[in-house]
Amino acid sequence: MKVLIVGSGGREHAIAWSVAKSDKVDKIYCAPGNAGIAEYAECVDIGAMEFEKLVTFAKDNAIDLTIIGMDDPLVGGVVDAFEAEGLRVFGPRKNAAIIEGSKAFSKDLMKKYHIPTAAYENFDNKEDALAYLETAKFPIVLKADGLALGKGVLICNTLEEAKEGVKTIMEEKKCGDAGNRMVIEEFMTGREVSVLAFCDGKTVQCMTSAQDHKRAKDGDQGLNTGGMGTFSPSPFYNDEVKAFCEEHIYQPTMDAMASEGRPFVGVLFTGLMITEDGPKVLEYNARFGDPEAQVVLPRMKNDIIDVMEACIDGCLSDIDLQFEDNAAVCVVLASDGYPVSYQKGFVIEGLDRFKGVDDYYCFHAGSKKTDKGIVTNGGRVLGVTAKGKDLKEARKKAYEATEWISFENKYMRHDIGKAIDEA
Ligand code: AMP
Ligand code: GLY
């Protein structure tokens, strides 16, 4: 079969790698893709938001299955555009992707269906938000309602900071229209865990757990980023936590979406905070996490095509989803200055070291093929991933492999997975 993957980051590289392992697949295309994805897929110069061009490409090239990796096209209705033309596509429709596209929607859903999450209020104007803050407890969390590339969440320690935050989001529109509405919620403390799950609209099957490191600098300092590294599984996601989440979070979320006439088909990403009062939902995403996918997919035993097709066909309960009994760590190599400003176009050396070695992967997040060779082309450049028998070994191997790569302005965190040592 022929598969089209939509996206261009490390997540889509990990998806392409996984799809390439399937015996069912003869040809992979990726729109727009990157220099690493080009190893498995023919990259096509169509942007992820160019729905008409994507649909036409899928029809003209008799694509059997399209996989949408990114949030923007999902929230914008790309799945509906494919389905309208009778094309098979993996991902939630627009009316279900809203679980990521609107934080106010997801908070109201959780409240209505008693799914544990931080206490909150939604606001659609600055005056009410500011008035609410006068009686609030601090720290407090402000969230722009819409998609904001991870920049829409502000943790404010004082009333003054929070007032500034409301102005930044709702008046200055720092996150654009994403800030037309906002959520103000209780600050939670605990361990964060990401759990990705395949969903067919009624059944939900969780993948192995992972943990991201969102801040730019060691020790969780610096600005929020798309993610500087991940490890899987999370030692904090033990059997008790898992059992609680299965009963009170994942299936109830699936049922809630179905009851609302918004059946969720695709990958549901639940960001959890394991608090003293038990696990609570921080956020939902409507797709694989990035870089979570880079540590979760290499550990998956199933053929990803079988699982995705079962989701589309509503028979996910027939799948026995299995993961290897090992661990993986991904360290993101970024361009120094990310997430604010950084230079691109530096030649990347050492990529060949990953060829033909088991358990080491170099997923490309922002790279481009040029006459000079493969060059850096983004804030996050590569996701260097290694598997090991346990987290400590995987972490050691991943950091060793980061030394195989060199490029000017190479930047990484040195404490990815360090929390493991404290577990
Ligand atoms: P989100 O995009 O909602 O996942 O938020 C980004 C990050 O902000 C999360 O990964 C958390 O580290 C932090 N965060 C979000 N909501 C809360 C909260 N209610 N309490 C504490 N930290 C939070
Ligand atoms: N790693 C967080 C995300 O994909 O949103």
Side-chain angles (χ1 to χ4, degrees), residues 32-270:
N34 65 36
I37 295 173
E39 212 180 299
Y40 314 98
E42 185 176 327
C43 294
V44 200
D45 190 17
I46 305 176
M49 294 306 286
E50 296 183 287
F51 297 177
E52 258 185 63
K53 284 190 188 169
L54 290 170
V55 166
T56 305
F57 179 86
K59 281 209 269 189
D60 290 351
N61 292 279
I63 299 295
D64 299 291
L65 173 66
T66 299
I67 301 166
I68 312 295
M70 296 168 71
D71 45 5
D72 279 328
L74 289 167
V75 170
V78 71
V79 167
D80 308 60
F82 272 72
E83 286 183 348
E85 296 294 326
L87 294 162
R88 258 168 103 71
V89 55
F90 179 81
R93 292 181 188 148
K94 184 174 183 169
N95 75 354
I98 191 173
I99 200 165
E100 171 166 8
S102 166
K103 290 190 191 283
F105 169 87
S106 75
K107 294 297 287 189
D108 287 346
L109 184 87
M110 287 186 268
K111 188 182 208 172
K112 180 167 172 191
Y113 292 91
H114 309 292
I115 296 166
T117 188
Y120 75 103
E121 292 286 336
N122 292 337
F123 297 93
D124 60 12
N125 70 75
K126 187 181 73 181
E127 290 70 29
D128 289 351
L130 290 172
Y132 173 83
L133 288 175
E134 296 291 342
T135 56
K137 279 206 214 121
F138 295 88
I140 203 159
V141 185
L142 312 184
K143 298 185 173 185
D145 177 53
L147 294 181
L149 294 169
K151 294 185 190 119
V153 176
L154 299 175
I155 295 172
C156 303
N157 290 309
T158 63
L159 176 61
E160 281 317 304
E161 255 181 63
K163 282 180 169 170
E164 269 314 300
V166 167
K167 285 184 194 145
T168 313
I169 293 174
M170 296 198 108
E171 192 177 283
E172 294 160 22
K173 293 277 162 76
K174 276 273 162 67
C175 320
D177 287 345
N180 288 349
R181 283 203 288 173
M182 67 184 296
V183 176
I184 301 187
E185 73 176 25
E186 169 202 5
F187 176 76
M188 300 189 285
T189 51
R191 289 284 180 185
E192 279 187 50
V193 180
S194 304
V195 178
L196 314 181
F198 287 105
C199 307
D200 72 357
K202 12 179 230 299
T203 302
V204 46
Q205 287 215 39
C206 289
M207 297 178 228
T208 180
S209 61
Q211 186 184 320
D212 192 5
H213 296 66
K214 287 207 168 104
R215 301 290 202 95
K217 296 189 177 155
D218 285 10
D220 288 331
Q221 302 296 309
L223 295 172
N224 255 332
T225 68
M228 294 301 293
T230 34
F231 59 85
S232 167
S234 164
F236 308 106
Y237 190 71
N238 57 31
D239 289 346
E240 193 192 338
V241 172
K242 183 167 176 257
F244 179 92
C245 294
E246 280 166 0
E247 187 181 343
H248 298 285
I249 296 178
Y250 313 129
Q251 192 63 48
T253 304
M254 201 53 19
D255 297 344
M257 291 297 279
S259 302
E260 295 291 310
R262 302 169 182 274
F264 189 98
V265 178
V267 170
L268 180 69
F269 168 137
T270 309

Side-chain angles (χ1 to χ4, degrees), residues 11 212 214 226 269 283 285 287-292:
R11 165 184 45 217
D212 192 5
K214 287 207 168 104
F269 168 137
E283 62 160 346
N285 293 319
R287 34 90 194 163
F288 282 101
D290 192 0
E292 283 87 345

Side-chain angles (χ1 to χ4, degrees), residues 339-400:
V340 183
S341 66
Y342 48 84
Q343 287 178 285
K344 305 192 273 195
F346 299 117
V347 175
I348 307 171
E349 311 274 4
L351 292 167
D352 285 347
R353 276 294 297 272
F354 289 83
K355 293 216 171 106
V357 283
D358 285 339
D359 298 345
Y360 290 90
Y361 313 86
C362 184
F363 296 118
H364 292 221
S367 70
K368 196 165 87 178
K369 214 172 199 161
T370 67
D371 297 343
K372 293 188 282 182
I374 294 178
V375 301
T376 63
N377 192 40
R380 290 190 293 177
V381 178
L382 302 170
V384 171
T385 301
K387 288 198 289 196
K389 65 175 188 309
D390 55 21
L391 285 163
K392 280 197 172 128
E393 189 184 273
R395 179 165 184 253
K396 188 165 162 279
K397 286 165 77 176
Y399 272 104
E400 262 166 33

